[in-house]
Amino acid sequence: MAEFYEMTIAGCKRKLPICAVNDKLDIAAFIMFSDVEITVASAKELAAKAPECDVIITAECKGIPLAYEMAKQMNIPYIVARKSTKLYMKDPVSVKVKSITTANEQTLYIGSDEAEMLHGKRVLIADDVISTGESLAAVEKLVEHAGGIIAGKCAVLAEGDAADRTDIFYLEKLPLFFK
């Protein structure tokens, strides 16, 4: 198996490192952190495809730079569903999630201030990669609990079977590598 998977994302050519998930599956790791060029270009293309929305939400981690840049370009606020409660959070709401790229089950949280920002608003869920859809489903539950209206769900890449989903939009398909 090759060490890298080469692809073009939003006009940017990249070599994604191949990483073992387990003894039967490898994935090509897409890391937006530190890659300003691909973050800005991907945000621009996704924003152009996005439905009307009032706020963007993402799960804490690799989707943060994308959500920030999309919000900046679209001139709307964004919210990060955190992986732990913070002192500033009033009455946090939580949802459990198990992602393909994390070893253990995690919990995502938003505080009542963030929930208020979502209530009655058209919300776009944004992430770097949608794979199993577990993180996406957890963020959807947070939005629904807060009374937000899901306007759309997007990612830079749709991995494996996620590319066949009809309820998301994305820029490129990312294959899974079975051993």
Side-chain angles (χ1 to χ4, degrees), residues 68-133:
Y68 166 81
E69 185 60 30
M70 287 180 73
K72 179 181 162 191
Q73 291 181 21
M74 297 168 75
N75 197 30
I76 60 175
Y78 77 102
I79 293 170
V80 177
R82 304 298 302 265
K83 290 185 179 177
S84 62
T85 58
K86 304 298 175 190
L87 294 175
Y88 62 82
M89 287 182 165
K90 296 182 223 163
D91 304 317
V93 176
S94 66
V95 174
K96 299 218 179 279
V97 61
K98 174 71 173 105
S99 169
I100 191 172
T101 55
T102 53
N104 300 313
E105 184 177 72
Q106 297 180 342
T107 306
L108 294 177
Y109 301 88
I110 58 171
S112 60
D113 290 344
E114 290 87 6
E116 190 174 307
M117 285 177 65
L118 296 172
H119 187 78
K121 299 293 192 309
R122 298 169 297 180
V123 181
L124 177 64
I125 301 172
D127 209 346
D128 61 330
V129 178
I130 296 173
S131 186
T132 64

Side-chain angles (χ1 to χ4, degrees), residues 11-158:
C12 304
K13 291 185 180 187
R14 294 295 183 268
K15 288 184 174 183
L16 308 183
I18 302 293
C19 302
V21 173
N22 56 42
D23 60 347
K24 296 180 181 175
L25 176 66
D26 289 348
I27 61 170
F30 176 60
I31 311 298
M32 290 190 79
F33 290 137
S34 304
D35 194 335
V36 175
E37 179 186 29
I38 206 160
T39 301
V40 172
S42 295
K44 183 177 182 182
E45 286 195 20
L46 286 170
K49 293 181 171 194
E52 289 288 322
C53 57
D54 305 303
V55 63
I56 295 171
I57 188 169
T58 193
E60 184 174 36
C61 207
K62 297 186 307 270
I64 295 173
L66 176 68
Y68 166 81
E69 185 60 30
M70 287 180 73
K72 179 181 162 191
Q73 291 181 21
M74 297 168 75
N75 197 30
I76 60 175
Y78 77 102
I79 293 170
V80 177
R82 304 298 302 265
K83 290 185 179 177
S84 62
T85 58
K86 304 298 175 190
L87 294 175
Y88 62 82
M89 287 182 165
K90 296 182 223 163
D91 304 317
V93 176
S94 66
V95 174
K96 299 218 179 279
V97 61
K98 174 71 173 105
S99 169
I100 191 172
T101 55
T102 53
N104 300 313
E105 184 177 72
Q106 297 180 342
T107 306
L108 294 177
Y109 301 88
I110 58 171
S112 60
D113 290 344
E114 290 87 6
E116 190 174 307
M117 285 177 65
L118 296 172
H119 187 78
K121 299 293 192 309
R122 298 169 297 180
V123 181
L124 177 64
I125 301 172
D127 209 346
D128 61 330
V129 178
I130 296 173
S131 186
T132 64
E134 294 297 322
S135 298
L136 181 67
V139 174
E140 283 182 88
K141 286 178 188 173
L142 284 174
V143 171
E144 290 166 357
H145 186 274
I149 303 151
I150 297 172
K153 299 172 268 187
C154 69
V156 176
L157 303 176

